[in-house]
Amino acid sequence: MSSNQLYQYSILSALMRRLATQETGISIGDLLAHGDHGLGTVTGLNGEVIVLEGEMFHYPVSGDAPRRLTDNDDDDDDDDDDDDDDVTGETLPFAMVTFFHPSMTKHLSSLSMSTLATSLAPLLPDRQNSFLAVKATAWFKYVTVRSTPAQSYPHEHLSVLAQRQTRHTAEYISGTLFGFWSPAYSMGMSLRGFHMHFIAADRHAGGHVVDFETETKDNKNVTLEVAVMDEYTVRVPSTAEFHREIISSGNATDMMAAEGGAE
Ligand SMILES: [Zn+2]
């Protein structure tokens, strides 16, 4: 594939309208067929999903151990030696994925949420109206992830859940951030600005990032890779549930409060 393409299932303003049921989600196998890096959430908004190098992990809201989500159609090779925790049959009501081929790589001594945008120069601002895929691998001084409680009933509104968000900080941890820069005009389809998820090198911690800062242990601590995506495909769910009500572009303030990206 010559250029990077972004594949998205459903739209953020649909999540805001509580459309997060098993019925309306995309299967794991279907999603992985469209990308090897990405992010998303699961049925009932019960936590965060990150896709890294073709593997999908789910970090439940409860803080329980992460689950590796696998495609149950791929089980023919029967490598079930250490896969007791693997989960199949899950669907994702919202996800964004890409086959990640970085168009720019930098080695930096440090990186933080507040310097992320300037660190992407010259792509920001030169390509600020494109979607960008962003990957940062480093030792982190801290990574703060937010956790929105799962829906307590099927159609509980995300902006209500957002008021019960909690934050959790992991310190001195090696891992990878992966996510997307979405242009301002895409608000409602996506989340404008950065939407980043984290996964620890040992996979034991992860989630939706609200803040981070890397250690400054040497001048190559951070590997920052970025891909410009010139094609943006959105798959609209076909279920009756999705089409029951008109979905407008949504309230930007509610979405930023619920999803907490940085601009
Ligand atoms: Zn997220």
Side-chain angles (χ1 to χ4, degrees):
M1 195 184 302
S2 57
S3 68
N4 286 271
Q5 303 177 9
L6 175 58
Y7 181 87
Q8 180 176 313
Y9 182 80
S10 194
I11 55 178
L12 189 69
S13 44
L15 265 198
M16 295 299 296
R17 295 182 68 88
R18 317 150 297 190
L19 290 163
T21 63
Q22 176 86 9
E23 173 195 0
T24 294
I26 185 173
S27 74
I28 296 162
D30 201 349
L31 192 61
L32 289 175
H34 291 92
D36 57 5
H37 284 73
L39 53 75
T41 187
V42 295
T43 302
L45 306 175
N46 181 22
E48 310 288 340
V49 168
I50 183 167
V51 182
L52 191 76
E53 291 156 13
E55 287 195 300
M56 190 184 295
F57 294 90
H58 168 218
Y59 293 87
V61 166
S62 60
D64 288 349
R67 310 185 305 161
R68 192 163 81 97
L69 304 181
T70 61
D71 175 14
N72 51 5
D73 294 334
D74 277 354
D75 279 354
D76 295 338
D77 50 5
D78 199 30
D79 57 338
D80 56 357
D81 41 328
D82 63 345
D83 291 348
D84 292 345
D85 296 334
D86 288 4
V87 177
T88 59
E90 182 70 80
T91 69
L92 291 86
F94 176 84
M96 302 168 78
V97 294
T98 185
F99 287 106
F100 185 60
H101 303 287
S103 36
M104 183 180 81
T105 299
K106 287 183 177 183
H107 296 282
L108 307 171
S109 58
S110 65
L111 185 69
S112 68
M113 200 77 209
S114 59
T115 63
L116 184 55
T118 52
S119 298
L120 297 189
L123 294 177
L124 287 182
D126 287 1
R127 298 300 297 271
Q128 64 183 343
N129 291 321
S130 291
F131 288 83
L132 307 176
V134 180
K135 183 178 183 179
T137 306
W139 272 96
F140 292 84
K141 194 177 292 177
Y142 69 86
V143 179
T144 301
V145 297
R146 74 88 213 268
S147 146
T148 301
Q151 286 174 314
S152 51
Y153 55 91
H155 287 167
E156 191 171 11
H157 202 287
L158 184 50
S159 63
V160 175
L161 298 179
Q163 293 166 9
R164 305 204 302 264
Q165 279 183 10
T166 56
R167 295 183 172 200
H168 175 75
T169 298
E171 297 181 318
Y172 301 102
I173 187 166
S174 171
T176 300
L177 302 172
F178 186 84
F180 299 98
W181 162 269
S182 297
Y185 61 79
S186 68
M187 193 64 173
M189 304 288 285
S190 176
L191 179 71
R192 70 168 181 247
F194 292 108
H195 182 182
M196 305 296 296
H197 283 194
F198 174 73
I199 183 167
D202 64 9
R203 309 309 193 219
H204 288 147
H208 174 105
V209 176
V210 290
D211 196 15
F212 73 90
E213 186 178 332
T214 65
E215 290 203 63
T216 47
K217 50 192 328 188
D218 60 57
N219 62 4
K220 287 198 172 179
N221 175 35
V222 184
T223 300
L224 180 63
E225 300 168 283
V226 192
V228 178
M229 296 177 292
D230 292 322
E231 293 185 39
Y232 177 42
T233 299
V234 179
R235 181 161 150 201
V236 178
S238 58
T239 57
E241 177 191 43
F242 185 84
H243 295 276
R244 191 168 298 142
E245 298 174 22
I246 293 172
I247 299 170
S248 65
S249 56
N251 181 304
T253 305
D254 279 355
M255 275 186 269
M256 293 307 285
E259 283 296 313
E263 295 172 81

